[in-house]
Amino acid sequence: MILGSIVALVTPMYDNGDVDKESLKKLVEFHIEQGSDALVAMGTTGESATLSEHEHMDVVKAIVEYVAGRIPVIAGTGANSTTEAIALTKAAKQVGADACLLVTPYYNKPTQEGLYLHYKAIAEAVDIPQILYNVPGRTACDMLPETIGRLAKIERIVGVKEATGDLTRVSVIRELCGDDFALYTGDDATSCEFCLLGGNGTITVSGNVAPRLVHEMITAAINGDRETATSIDANLRGLHTQLFIQSNPIPVKWAVTEMGLMAKGIRLPLTWLTEDCFDPVRSAMHQAQVI
């Protein structure tokens, strides 16, 4: 089981939108040095929605190569087409990813049975650990705990990223899925409490900016050290809020650029952070002592 602070890595780009491999390598080294426990390549924060399938897998392959086995790499391979999700998951296995993260199909609003059959088909097609990803705020599709419980019984489905922010689901999913099933939060604002309640880690946006603090906070929370975890989380509160002042990953890419780790670059239809948001994000970075 992968535990701790799993950073949903941004994808560095030049101002024309092309992927900046040099900065990508620099980011990988930064996260390993700062103690991030794992990386997600090509999740939502990595702008997976606007990269072609070839670019998508090229970034995953590059991250796997740069990491060189030092920490796990989880590839985002979800799609609203089951066939496409299987193809991406097969490609991720081929380039050496340690696991895959599969978002619920978006826009087409499958039923709970449709979700079950979608994930079952992927698990049966590709021999790689697979993590479910529920984020109804983006997909307009909520995978219910009971469906997660059914899927947890399928070999190769090893965990879930539960990004609803609903902390009551932690105990419900744990009871349905058992202790060997990994529970990750995808909501930075509630990640501390999620792990104190028995979660196994966070797939984090804030960890792009303050990786050491997020690692230390999540480690303390997993170990049941409420005092330490909440004390560290207090310094991260601003990031948890201000990194979502505009659509993710707009603010976090600006923040990582402000830290000198990459150049300014994002793909349409996303646009660069507007100037009126600079001060709130910068203030949150000061609070977390990253600048």
Side-chain angles (χ1 to χ4, degrees), residues 17-258:
D18 289 346
V19 174
D20 176 0
K21 292 278 191 69
E22 185 177 343
S23 293
L24 184 62
K25 186 174 185 178
K26 185 194 299 184
L27 282 181
V28 168
E29 294 303 323
F30 170 70
H31 283 289
I32 291 172
E33 188 273 330
Q34 290 287 309
S36 295
D37 296 293
L39 297 175
V40 170
M42 284 286 94
T44 304
T45 308
E47 295 174 79
S48 56
T50 52
L51 271 70
S52 69
E53 185 173 327
H54 172 76
E55 290 174 314
H56 185 119
M57 294 317 306
D58 189 48
V59 170
V60 174
K61 181 180 179 181
I63 292 172
V64 169
E65 289 176 355
Y66 299 153
V67 167
R70 289 174 288 175
I71 57 175
V73 176
I74 302 168
T77 59
N80 58 353
S81 157
T82 306
T83 302
E84 182 181 352
I86 289 171
L88 286 170
T89 305
K90 284 180 176 178
K93 175 180 170 59
Q94 186 173 6
V95 300
D98 296 286
C100 290
L101 178 68
L102 294 125
V103 70
T104 54
Y106 42 87
Y107 190 77
N108 46 17
K109 295 185 178 181
T111 62
Q112 296 300 305
E113 183 64 15
L115 289 173
Y116 175 78
L117 293 173
H118 169 80
Y119 284 112
K120 180 174 181 286
I122 301 166
E124 289 175 347
V126 193
D127 183 12
I128 190 171
Q130 295 169 29
I131 300 166
L132 313 172
Y133 178 13
N134 187 39
V135 57
R138 280 189 177 264
T139 63
C141 173
D142 185 7
M143 182 164 49
L144 299 178
E146 292 75 17
T147 303
I148 297 170
R150 290 179 69 195
L151 288 166
K153 296 177 174 63
I154 296 175
E155 188 178 3
R156 299 174 187 154
I157 296 178
V158 299
V160 64
K161 176 184 177 183
E162 171 56 44
T164 62
D166 181 358
L167 292 172
T168 65
R169 290 194 175 193
V170 181
S171 60
V172 175
I173 296 172
R174 177 63 73 208
E175 185 174 350
L176 288 167
C177 299
D179 292 338
D180 294 333
F181 191 77
L183 301 188
Y184 307 113
T185 179
D187 180 59
D188 277 308
T190 57
S191 60
C192 180
E193 192 62 31
F194 184 100
C195 290
L196 284 166
L197 289 170
N200 302 111
T202 179
I203 298 178
T204 171
V205 175
S206 296
N208 280 280
V209 180
R212 187 171 298 281
L213 275 185
V214 176
H215 163 76
E216 291 173 354
M217 181 268 287
I218 292 296
T219 299
I222 290 172
N223 290 331
D225 184 352
R226 176 175 290 275
E227 182 178 357
T228 299
T230 55
S231 175
I232 298 170
D233 195 47
N235 293 323
L236 293 165
R237 284 282 145 195
L239 288 179
H240 297 338
T241 302
Q242 301 305 332
L243 291 182
F244 299 92
I245 195 170
Q246 290 183 349
S247 297
N248 180 50
I250 292 172
V252 71
K253 292 199 86 173
W254 182 88
V256 174
T257 300
E258 190 77 354

